[in-house]
Amino acid sequence: GEDVEQSLFLSVREGDSSVINCTYTDSSSTYLYWYKQEPGAGLQLLTYIFSNMDMKQDQRLTVLLNKKDKHLSLRIADTQTGDSAIYFCAEKKSGGGFKTIFGAGTRLFVKA
Amino acid sequence: GAVVSQHPSRVICKSGTSVKIECRSLDFQATTMFWYRQFPKKSLMLMATSNEGSKATYEQGVEKDKFLINHASLTLSTLTVTSAHPEDSSFYICSARERVQGAYNEQFFGPGTRLTVL
């Protein structure tokens, strides 16, 4: 299967919290990332977490890492219409040239 | 953050022609550049990794004679799709990384190039 998996679609109401989930396979990954892609644009790094951390909070964003289950989540508090985008989970491999492997992306749709 | 540009942002070409896409790091020296291809509803597929002044390393299944990558300077990498066919139509994204100084080095992504082959 794919190295990084995430659901393809999430719909929330404006003001609610969004939780985007991701699973990965490489337990030796050093960094895990969340990127945001707006229509027709490249990827923007939102946040990242080092593999020895469980949680990282940055304003409205909270990243949770469960290393045992190889599960990563991104929580967006007070979701706004401007948060509508595709969110990619990614892991940086610890070897093999430190390649970054991406999931398929979760399309977040925020309803006003 | 650092800026990576791509040119052109959109290109339409006839089948059989070659197309060159440029990727530039605008305010930093990119010792490593990556080329990705994005398929609808699928993950970004890493095509190749190039280090300045050396040959690109291609991922399995990517034809190096079809996707020519040149990383001639610390701020410029080019991807040439040779003899393009409709199946090469895709969104191509480059990213650049500075020389690895420590444990963490962010990759900065370009805005992407939409290639349509008729």
Side-chain angles (χ1 to χ4, degrees):
Chain A
E2 297 288 334
D3 288 292
V4 179
E5 292 192 355
Q6 39 183 143
S7 54
L8 292 180
F9 187 80
L10 175 66
S11 177
V12 300
R13 291 189 184 280
E14 190 175 21
D16 288 351
S17 291
S18 307
V19 180
I20 303 171
N21 295 300
C22 168
T23 56
Y24 60 98
T25 57
D26 189 347
S27 58
S28 64
S29 292
T30 53
Y31 290 92
L32 295 123
Y33 308 89
W34 284 104
Y35 285 88
K36 178 182 180 182
Q37 183 184 33
E38 298 188 6
L43 275 67
Q44 172 198 0
L45 179 65
L46 275 183
T47 186
Y48 67 93
I49 189 168
F50 189 49
S51 57
N52 68 354
M53 297 168 65
D54 298 323
M55 186 183 89
K56 182 178 180 180
Q57 186 150 4
D58 183 3
Q59 299 181 335
R60 292 192 297 124
L61 305 178
T62 304
V63 178
L64 294 177
L65 175 60
N66 182 328
K67 208 173 174 187
K68 173 176 168 289
D69 295 337
K70 301 191 192 70
H71 182 267
L72 183 74
S73 68
L74 172 69
R75 179 177 180 269
I76 305 173
D78 187 25
T79 312
Q80 303 297 307
T81 53
D83 295 324
S84 295
I86 302 175
Y87 291 82
F88 288 90
C89 170
E91 62 171 341
K92 178 175 278 189
K93 298 284 195 179
S94 60
F98 298 96
K99 287 185 283 191
T100 302
I101 307 298
F102 289 83
T106 299
R107 183 177 294 276
L108 175 64
F109 178 66
V110 183
K111 294 177 283 188
Chain B
V3 178
V4 175
S5 70
Q6 276 184 245
H7 178 80
S9 58
R10 188 180 293 267
V11 58
I12 300 172
C13 70
K14 291 182 179 180
S15 187
T17 60
S18 294
V19 174
K20 181 186 282 189
I21 302 170
E22 290 186 350
C23 177
R24 292 182 186 272
S25 58
L26 297 186
D27 49 5
F28 68 100
Q29 294 186 326
T31 50
T32 306
M33 285 187 169
F34 305 86
W35 285 96
Y36 294 85
R37 184 172 174 177
Q38 186 175 21
F39 296 94
K41 297 182 181 179
K42 287 186 181 288
S43 58
L44 270 70
M45 183 192 81
L46 178 64
M47 298 173 67
T49 302
S50 74
N51 292 297
E52 185 263 338
S54 60
K55 289 184 179 179
T57 302
Y58 289 81
E59 295 300 302
Q60 194 172 7
V62 178
E63 299 175 60
K64 59 183 178 183
D65 294 331
K66 179 164 186 65
F67 298 100
L68 301 178
I69 290 172
N70 184 283
H71 190 168
S73 77
L74 285 172
T75 58
L76 173 65
S77 175
T78 59
L79 166 67
T80 302
V81 182
T82 62
S83 187
H85 290 283
E87 57 266 29
D88 299 324
S89 298
S90 195
F91 196 55
Y92 292 87
I93 301 177
C94 75
S95 76
R97 189 176 70 195
E98 289 184 272
R99 186 186 305 277
V100 176
Q101 300 286 351
Y104 174 71
N105 273 83
E106 183 179 344
Q107 277 180 242
F108 298 97
F109 285 81
T113 297
R114 170 74 60 191
L115 170 63
T116 303
V117 184
L118 303 176

